């Protein structure tokens, strides 16, 4: 059955659909773009035309005319020739049955079959296939619904098993990948799903390989492309991350202050003044403030500043005496 163009569009943007419908569509409607088989078709047409020409030439040579018998024989021989001579492309393997039983696997290149008795059942593409799959509203271990979008890279290494062990190996691999994705997400918390993608890829790949190995399928890799978390949870996780970073920053500053206090205490012991550590710290804070604001600091000698202080105190005492009756 031919695939509608709508099916190809919806496979790339399936999130507006219901979960079950989206998963079924992803597994059954996606059709990999195949390379052209025009060369094989032209070869079959050439075999058909050559068979017709040979039979006609033989009929004319024997009977001297082209009768109904000659035309019927020509068509019969041409059809038998087309059904006997085939071409498999360089990346294809063809499973041939004889009277319904598995006979051989042929290809690539030219191969022959016995008309009516033998027929090729399926052409297996042995190139690497990329299959997109996803799980919508999947619950994590901490019961958070997430949407995960991933892609599976796989290849059919045994055409015989892919034909005889499973009805539709492409759909089976797609459904298996979706199931493995749901199970892997269900075993992890939302934080693990968001931050440990490599581990999630490895778990999904391992789960798929356990089942797909019996179908002649080899899983190359699994890559998670997108993880969608509810908006309200994204805001909460962002606030939590900001709080953790602020906490780490404050702890770092506290550690630096402790180291600096030890260094200043050692300097105070060298100067022989217990108050030297506090004065040095004050000077460092002034230096940092001036450096950030690009201002200036005016240093006043301690004796002069003490004189200003004493003068101020004497003026206050005189004013108080005048007010006293």
């Amino acid at each position: 059955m031919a695939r509608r163009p709508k099916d190809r569009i919806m496979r790339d943007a399936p999130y507006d659909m219901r979960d079950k419908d989206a998963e079924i569509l992803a597994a059954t409607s996606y059709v990999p773009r195949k390379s052209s088989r025009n060369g094989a078709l032209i070869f079959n047409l050439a075999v058909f035309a050559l068979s017709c020409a040979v039979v006609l030439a033989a009929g004319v040579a024997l009977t001297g005319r082209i009768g109904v018998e000659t035309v019927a024989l020509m068509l019969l021989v041409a059809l038998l020739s087309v059904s006997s001579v085939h071409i498999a492309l360089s990346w294809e393997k063809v499973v041939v049955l004889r009277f319904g039983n598995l006979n051989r696997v042929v290809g690539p290149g030219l191969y022959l079959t016995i008309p009516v008795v033998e027929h090729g059942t399926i052409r297996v593409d042995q190139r690497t296939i990329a299959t997109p799959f996803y799980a919508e509203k999947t619950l994590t271990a901490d019961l958070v619904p997430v949407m995960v979008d991933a892609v599976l890279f796989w290849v059919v290494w045994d055409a015989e098993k892919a034909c005889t062990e499973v009805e539709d190996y492409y759909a089976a691999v797609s459904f298996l990948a979706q199931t493995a994705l749901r199970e892997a997400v269900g075993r992890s918390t939302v934080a693990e799903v968001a931050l440990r993608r490599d581990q999630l890829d490895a778990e999904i790949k391992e789960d798929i390989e356990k089942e797909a190995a019996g179908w002649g399928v080899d899983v190359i890799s699994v890559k998670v492309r997108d993880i969608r978390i509810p908006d309200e949870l994204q805001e909460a996780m962002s606030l939590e991350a900001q709080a953790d970073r602020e906490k780490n920053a404050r702890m770092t500053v506290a550690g630096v202050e402790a180291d600096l206090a030890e260094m200043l205490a050692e300097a105070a012991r060298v100067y022989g003044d217990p108050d030297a550590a506090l004065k040095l710290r004050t000077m460092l804070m002034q230096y940092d403030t001036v450096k950030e604001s690009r201002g200036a600091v005016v240093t006043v000698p301690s004796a002069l500043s003490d004189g200003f202080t004493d003068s101020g105190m004497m003026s206050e005492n005189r004013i108080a005496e005048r007010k006293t009756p």
Side-chain angles (χ1 to χ4, degrees), residues 24-25 74 88 106 128 130 134 149 151 199 210 236 264 318 324:
I24 294 176
L25 183 63
M74 176 193 68
V106 296
T128 300
Y134 51 89
D149 186 7
V151 61
Q199 182 178 356
K210 292 179 182 178
L264 293 177
R318 291 175 182 176
T324 304

Side-chain angles (χ1 to χ4, degrees), residues 275-310:
D275 297 332
L278 184 58
K279 295 178 180 179
L280 290 173
R281 182 56 182 148
T282 303
M283 294 176 63
L284 288 175
M285 292 177 65
Q286 291 178 349
Y287 172 76
D288 293 337
T289 303
V290 172
K291 183 178 180 181
E292 293 178 0
S293 62
R294 296 182 180 181
V297 175
V298 178
T299 304
V300 179
S302 60
L304 183 59
S305 62
D306 292 342
F308 288 154
T309 303
D310 295 339

Side-chain angles (χ1 to χ4, degrees), residues 110-187:
L110 181 68
Y111 67 95
L112 303 177
T113 58
I114 302 175
V116 182
V117 177
E118 295 180 343
H119 66 282
T121 58
I122 186 173
R123 294 178 180 270
V124 178
D125 193 329
Q126 292 197 306
R127 294 174 295 180
T128 300
I129 302 174
T131 301
F133 64 101
Y134 51 89
E136 188 175 3
K137 297 180 181 179
T138 302
L139 293 179
T140 60
D142 47 356
L143 302 181
V144 177
V146 297
M147 292 186 296
V148 183
D149 186 7
V151 61
L152 171 67
F153 297 93
W154 56 286
V155 64
V156 180
W157 58 271
D158 192 332
E160 178 180 338
K161 289 184 178 181
C163 180
T164 59
E165 299 296 332
V166 62
E167 179 184 5
D168 186 347
Y169 65 88
Y170 187 89
V173 170
S174 298
F175 280 122
L176 181 60
Q178 291 173 354
T179 304
L181 175 59
R182 286 186 174 274
E183 292 178 353
V185 171
R187 291 191 299 263

Side-chain angles (χ1 to χ4, degrees), residues 37-303:
R37 295 189 56 84
N38 294 335
L41 179 61
I42 293 174
F43 175 79
N44 290 334
L45 293 176
V47 170
F48 183 87
L50 180 62
S51 301
C52 292
V54 171
V55 173
L56 283 177
V60 171
L62 294 176
T63 61
R65 63 186 181 87
I66 301 176
V68 177
E69 298 83 0
T70 303
V71 174
L73 181 61
M74 176 193 68
L75 294 176
L76 178 61
V77 172
L79 290 176
L80 291 177
S81 299
V82 171
S83 62
S84 300
V85 183
H86 312 275
I87 286 182
L89 301 182
S90 179
W91 52 83
E92 290 180 338
K93 291 286 187 180
V94 182
V95 180
V96 178
L97 301 183
R98 178 179 295 176
F99 293 115
N101 294 322
L102 179 65
N103 181 261
R104 65 188 184 277
V105 177
V106 296
L110 181 68
Y111 67 95
L112 303 177
T113 58
I114 302 175
V116 182
V117 177
E118 295 180 343
H119 66 282
T121 58
I122 186 173
R123 294 178 180 270
V124 178
D125 193 329
Q126 292 197 306
R127 294 174 295 180
T128 300
I129 302 174
T131 301
F133 64 101
Y134 51 89
E136 188 175 3
K137 297 180 181 179
T138 302
L139 293 179
T140 60
D142 47 356
L143 302 181
V144 177
V146 297
M147 292 186 296
V148 183
D149 186 7
V151 61
L152 171 67
F153 297 93
W154 56 286
V155 64
V156 180
W157 58 271
D158 192 332
E160 178 180 338
K161 289 184 178 181
C163 180
T164 59
E165 299 296 332
V166 62
E167 179 184 5
D168 186 347
Y169 65 88
Y170 187 89
V173 170
S174 298
F175 280 122
L176 181 60
Q178 291 173 354
T179 304
L181 175 59
R182 286 186 174 274
E183 292 178 353
V185 171
R187 291 191 299 263
S188 307
T189 63
V190 64
E192 293 174 347
V193 171
L195 301 177
R196 304 172 64 182
R197 292 194 179 190
D198 293 340
Q199 182 178 356
L200 188 63
D201 294 343
E203 291 181 3
I204 298 173
K205 181 176 182 294
E206 183 179 358
D207 291 342
I208 298 175
E209 285 178 335
K210 292 179 182 178
E211 299 292 339
W215 304 339
V217 173
D218 183 24
V219 179
I220 299 175
S221 64
V222 176
K223 298 296 181 182
V224 174
R225 298 188 296 179
D226 187 23
I227 299 175
R228 298 188 180 185
I229 302 174
D231 294 338
E232 57 275 12
L233 185 59
Q234 290 183 13
E235 184 177 357
M237 294 178 67
S238 177
L239 293 176
E240 183 180 358
Q242 292 177 8
D244 289 339
R245 291 175 182 174
E246 185 176 355
K247 176 183 175 182
N248 295 333
R250 291 183 178 181
M251 292 178 63
T252 302
V253 172
V256 173
E257 287 288 342
D259 296 338
L260 185 59
E262 293 180 359
M263 296 172 62
L264 293 177
E266 180 66 22
R269 285 193 294 269
V270 173
Y271 287 121
D273 184 3
D275 297 332
L278 184 58
K279 295 178 180 179
L280 290 173
R281 182 56 182 148
T282 303
M283 294 176 63
L284 288 175
M285 292 177 65
Q286 291 178 349
Y287 172 76
D288 293 337
T289 303
V290 172
K291 183 178 180 181
E292 293 178 0
S293 62
R294 296 182 180 181
V297 175
V298 178
T299 304
V300 179
S302 60

